[in-house]
Amino acid sequence: MNIVLFDLDNTLIKGDSDHEWGNFLVENNLVNAKSYKKKNDMFFSQYKEGNLCPREFALFSYEPLTRYKYEDLLKLRKEFFKEKILPIILPKAVKLVNLHKENNDIIAIVTSTNSFISKVSADYFNITHLLASEPELINNKFTGKLSGEPCYQEGKVSKVKDWIKINNLSNFKEIFFYTDSHNDLKLMEFCTKPIAVDPDNTLKKISLERNWDIMSLR
């Protein structure tokens, strides 16, 4: 049995779902357009540079979830997926996921994007296991707080280790991990088969130095 882990943003899809969710909120006047867009772009730049504070970003990005009823958020999420995510899903990524399914591998998406937003992508790929940052939900209402540890950098490793333990998956042969981002370096080091997918410049350099596989799904 192999375990296969996929990053979501800029790996399975050609874009960043967290950032696109922010754009969706701005374009539909669900937040203060000017100030929200400025902060959303700032956090996205910090992420790409590798110096994002995930807890600070969580407080920013989860706040809009507190403004609406859960049922209304589900409708918004459906519109968001159709408008922003569906057009950037990579056909080659779908084929790769299906190839691992045919091999009877255990598949999970491991993403820093919160579970409420990333679940629609996991559902599209028909991937049951989703390891993500978790916005706190009490009595079917988002509180705006982060529940547990952010699924980011070292936090991804912790999430994966806990998931393996809880699901009794310790008898794996290999752990594959597909990602584009240098922010996932710790998880790549943890896995036995790290694969850089259309990597950013930093990850590409590291992958070449360490002789890790590099591939494209574009």
Side-chain angles (χ1 to χ4, degrees):
M1 177 194 73
N2 293 323
I3 292 174
V4 181
L5 309 175
F6 287 98
D7 176 46
L8 174 60
D9 301 312
N10 282 306
T11 301
L12 294 178
I13 64 175
K14 189 180 180 181
D16 186 278
S17 48
D18 248 338
H19 189 244
E20 289 301 331
W21 172 251
N23 290 338
F24 175 80
L25 296 177
V26 167
E27 292 164 13
N28 288 276
N29 296 309
L30 297 167
V31 290
N32 182 294
K34 186 176 180 180
S35 62
Y36 198 90
K37 177 173 173 51
K38 183 178 180 180
K39 285 189 176 182
N40 192 44
D41 290 344
M42 177 195 73
F43 281 120
F44 189 44
S45 294
Q46 291 176 353
Y47 171 79
K48 290 187 287 186
E49 293 165 2
N51 55 21
L52 174 72
C53 173
R55 295 184 181 276
E56 186 179 350
F57 176 68
L59 291 176
F60 164 75
S61 61
Y62 297 176
E63 191 278 331
L65 298 177
T66 68
R67 304 181 187 184
Y68 303 95
K69 294 180 180 179
Y70 190 75
E71 294 77 12
D72 294 332
L73 287 170
L74 292 177
K75 294 176 183 176
L76 288 173
R77 185 177 68 176
K78 186 176 181 180
E79 294 174 14
F80 160 72
F81 180 76
K82 182 179 178 181
E83 179 182 330
K84 292 291 188 181
I85 302 301
L86 192 57
I88 60 174
I89 287 175
L90 296 165
K92 289 183 179 179
V94 175
K95 291 181 180 179
L96 179 60
V97 169
N98 288 338
L99 183 65
H100 280 292
K101 288 180 181 178
E102 291 168 6
N103 196 43
N104 293 318
D105 295 327
I106 305 297
I107 302 173
I109 288 176
V110 189
T111 178
S112 60
T113 297
N114 74 74
S115 59
F116 179 74
I117 298 304
S118 55
K119 187 180 186 304
V120 281
S121 294
D123 288 346
Y124 179 87
F125 282 94
N126 196 23
I127 295 175
T128 304
H129 299 285
L130 174 63
L131 311 182
S133 298
E134 296 288 347
E136 186 179 66
L137 185 69
I138 298 177
N139 296 325
N140 230 28
K141 179 74 175 178
F142 286 109
T143 67
K145 298 178 181 179
L146 175 71
S147 177
E149 186 177 7
C151 192
Y152 178 70
Q153 295 185 349
E154 294 88 350
K156 281 195 174 185
V157 181
S158 298
K159 291 264 188 182
V160 168
K161 287 181 177 179
D162 289 344
W163 172 72
I164 288 174
K165 183 178 180 179
I166 291 170
N167 290 277
N168 296 314
L169 300 175
S170 57
N171 60 334
F172 61 84
K173 293 180 181 178
E174 305 282 0
I175 303 183
F176 292 74
F177 179 41
Y178 297 89
T179 185
D180 72 291
S181 177
H182 69 279
N183 284 300
D184 289 335
L185 183 59
K186 292 295 184 182
L187 186 52
M188 293 188 82
E189 291 172 340
F190 171 76
C191 295
T192 62
K193 295 287 186 181
I195 302 163
V197 180
D198 301 293
D200 59 42
N201 291 335
T202 301
L203 181 57
K204 184 175 181 180
K205 182 176 182 293
I206 294 171
S207 297
L208 290 170
E209 290 172 352
R210 302 190 183 187
N211 201 30
W212 287 344
D213 289 342
I214 300 175
M215 67 178 294
S216 177
L217 294 176
R218 303 297 171 96

